[in-house]
Amino acid sequence: LFNRRKASLSSGLLFALACFLLTGLATVYETWMLSRIDLGAYLILGWGSQTLWTAVVTWPERKQLKVLKIRKNFAPILGYALANSLKGICFVAALKLSDSASLVTAFTSFMAVMVVVAAYFILKERSWLWIKIGAAVAGSAGLFILNGVWHIAW
């Protein structure tokens, strides 16, 4: 049992590290692309190709679309999709307006910390509160250290 847990932990850490590196690479690439083409072409080419490969990859799961026919599921799913699209547009616009990908990433990464705060106030979630607060503080400190935001704060 211990070896399985240790292997699971190491594979989880490797997966988290790979996601972290790919997110950083994608942010740098988006900033580079936005310096080469205009925002409209980026949205059409970037999001168009993203939509295409997503549709191709999820094609075998198309039978799950019947979930959208249920009236109570449609509005929350549509709302999430629209909010996520707006989030993406704002992220790309922020990259375009500021010339600092690390600063934009620091502010967008702060969303994970805000989820802890929202879970406490909105969902009234009190279990494991000190661990969540500690994780939020450690996450905020990590964001400040990794992105050099302390220079701005001082």
Side-chain angles (χ1 to χ4, degrees), residues 4 14 31 34 44 49 51 55-56 58 65 72 76 79 83 93 99 108 114 123 128 131 136 147 152:
R4 185 180 299 153
L14 284 174
T31 305
L34 286 169
I44 291 170
S49 62
T51 303
V56 168
T58 59
L65 286 174
K72 69 175 185 168
D99 290 329
T108 57
M114 293 309 298
L123 300 176
W128 301 96
I131 292 175
N147 292 292
I152 296 169

Side-chain angles (χ1 to χ4, degrees), residues 10-133:
S10 63
S11 63
L13 286 174
L14 284 174
F15 184 71
L17 180 63
C19 289
F20 175 76
L21 291 174
L22 286 174
T23 301
L25 181 64
T27 302
V28 170
Y29 181 70
E30 281 186 354
T31 305
W32 179 78
M33 283 297 294
L34 286 169
S35 68
R36 304 288 187 271
I37 60 175
D38 66 340
L39 187 59
Y42 175 78
L43 289 177
I44 291 170
L45 294 175
W47 281 13
S49 62
Q50 210 172 28
T51 303
L52 178 66
W53 74 258
T54 302
V56 168
V57 169
T58 59
W59 184 252
E61 299 294 324
R62 66 188 176 280
K63 50 189 159 286
Q64 299 297 328
L65 286 174
K66 61 185 171 191
V67 171
L68 292 175
K69 291 181 182 177
I70 301 171
R71 185 173 215 101
K72 69 175 185 168
N73 292 343
F74 183 73
I77 292 173
L78 181 65
Y80 178 74
L82 291 175
N84 212 13
S85 297
L86 181 64
K87 180 183 87 166
I89 290 171
C90 290
F91 179 78
V92 171
L95 279 176
K96 184 76 172 166
L97 292 174
S98 77
D99 290 329
S100 174
S102 64
L103 188 61
V104 172
T105 304
F107 282 109
T108 57
S109 298
F110 198 68
M111 185 177 73
V113 175
M114 293 309 298
V115 166
V116 173
V117 175
Y120 179 79
F121 288 109
I122 297 171
L123 300 176
K124 310 287 190 234
E125 193 166 314
R126 307 283 196 276
S127 62
W128 301 96
L129 183 63
W130 292 110
I131 292 175
K132 293 174 186 174
I133 290 173

